[in-house]
Amino acid sequence: MEKNYYNDIEVASREEIEQVQLIRLQETVRRVYEKVPFYKEKLTSQNIKPDDIKSLNDVRKLPFTVKKDLRQNYPFGLFAVPLNEVVRIHASSGTSGKPTVVGYTKNDIENWSELVARCIMAAGGRKGDVLHNAYGYGLFTGGLGLHYGSEKLGCATIPISGGNTERQIALIQDFKPKVICGTPSYVLNIAEKMEEMGLNPNETSLQYGIFGAEPWSEEMRATLQQKLGIKAVDIYGLSEVIGPGVAIECYEAQNGLHIADDHFLVEVIDPKTLEPVEEGKEGELVFTSLTKEAFPVLRYRTGDIASITRETCICGRTTTRMSRVKGRIDDMLIIRGVNVFPSEIERCLLQVNELVPHYQIHLTKKGSLDNVEIHVEVKQGFFNTLPTSTLEDQAVYILKKKIQHIIKNECLVNVDVRIHPPRTLPRSEGKAIRIIDRRKEVASVK
Ligand code: DLL
């Protein structure tokens, strides 16, 4: 029977995986202790020597690394090799302050390519397939990350990047790709554009989708699968850890993302107490890199909320699986004391038949309280059937109430809703901007 995985380690026993992890953890701690002054100081100040790492649980003795540490060591201060061994640099823009910069040696690029090749295979791609890569190329890790993995697997890779949607559609029709990669919000945009052009997105050559780089819901998966007639899986990663390829769902189960345990040691912690949470419980994902040469990280706090399980998957992989990322801690909305993630609001909105799956969450201040306004867009034709403006007002009123009711029921919060006409909310060409935070602006005007 044809193998459905790329590397035997994906189906190895837990003991084998843990043996590899321990050796690599010990090597990594030694490497950063010897090569990165920042880590040497941190470890020394906590009285830890590389020899103290005797079991995987000893990872808890190590200090956490956070984004601020990367910024303070901008640009290359955390690199563990001299610059003449670095062959690639990526950076993420970051909303505030300096970008975070990461580097890769030749071996790092080789490992990363293999990890992404594993991902594409888990998603249903095979050697010889045509793969349309709509992740942005450039400093963002999405484009080049998927590109090298796709070539490694042996796919005919189309480096289209993001944007220029009509050209993307022409190439999908002409080159007949089997696999498409991109952010879920951008691929949705492509599908809608096809419909606008009078094409049926369900009738292309596409069979598999590899979507990630932003939170998305099960409801969005259902929408994308149905519109495009594909199987869609979730891919996760972050530049500080390597980029895409840290974890991916398999197309067989579409239930939990397989983490590349042999390259990353995952922990889930309570972001307040920093203590580990029980397996299966939600918390902040923390990763320690196990093989990286140029930019190793110890216990990097991702800010992403998810849970993990170590149950073997129906696809046969034995790797640790993480749940979908619910959202970033920073993006969590606290609406009158109740915590809500944008992905939970998305889940509600996608149940409303009258809406397209584009939305924005506007945050403002009303007195001293945060005010949350959900901006949604109705489908083409919503207003056409209504003969008078009074009926239009009524229809909008009823729709608002319906949306508020679903959100109240499922997320337990009251929100304001603004209805927009078709094709008026901005469309994404990469990572969608869901939250528009105007709280500070308004406060400074007052
Ligand atoms: O987004 C890497 C990537 C590229 C992943 C392509 C998947 C596909 P950064 O730009 O550094 O790297 O952003 C990382 O994006 O900490 C999460 O908050 C979020 N993120 C990434 N993948 C997912 C996902 C890339 N599947 C940050 N679900 C991470 C939810 C995701 N959030």
Side-chain angles (χ1 to χ4, degrees), residues 135 140-142 213-215 234-239 304 325 328 431:
Y135 282 114
F140 173 52
T141 52
E214 62 186 11
D234 190 7
I235 183 167
Y236 170 80
L238 61 166
S239 47
D304 295 325
V325 171
R328 296 187 54 76
K431 293 190 190 228

Side-chain angles (χ1 to χ4, degrees), residues 183-250:
T183 59
S185 58
Y186 183 51
V187 177
L188 177 70
N189 186 357
I190 298 179
E192 270 188 343
K193 189 87 190 169
M194 283 186 187
E195 286 168 344
E196 247 178 64
M197 291 163 67
L199 303 167
N200 184 353
N202 205 285
E203 285 173 358
T204 69
S205 54
L206 292 170
Q207 291 180 28
Y208 298 103
I210 302 180
F211 305 144
E214 62 186 11
W216 54 307
S217 59
E218 272 310 310
E219 286 68 17
M220 182 69 99
R221 188 206 312 263
T223 303
L224 284 164
Q225 293 197 142
Q226 188 241 329
K227 261 191 197 298
L228 285 155
I230 57 172
K231 274 228 162 189
V233 300
D234 190 7
I235 183 167
Y236 170 80
L238 61 166
S239 47
E240 295 87 339
V241 172
I242 203 160
V246 174
I248 189 152
E249 286 176 329
C250 57

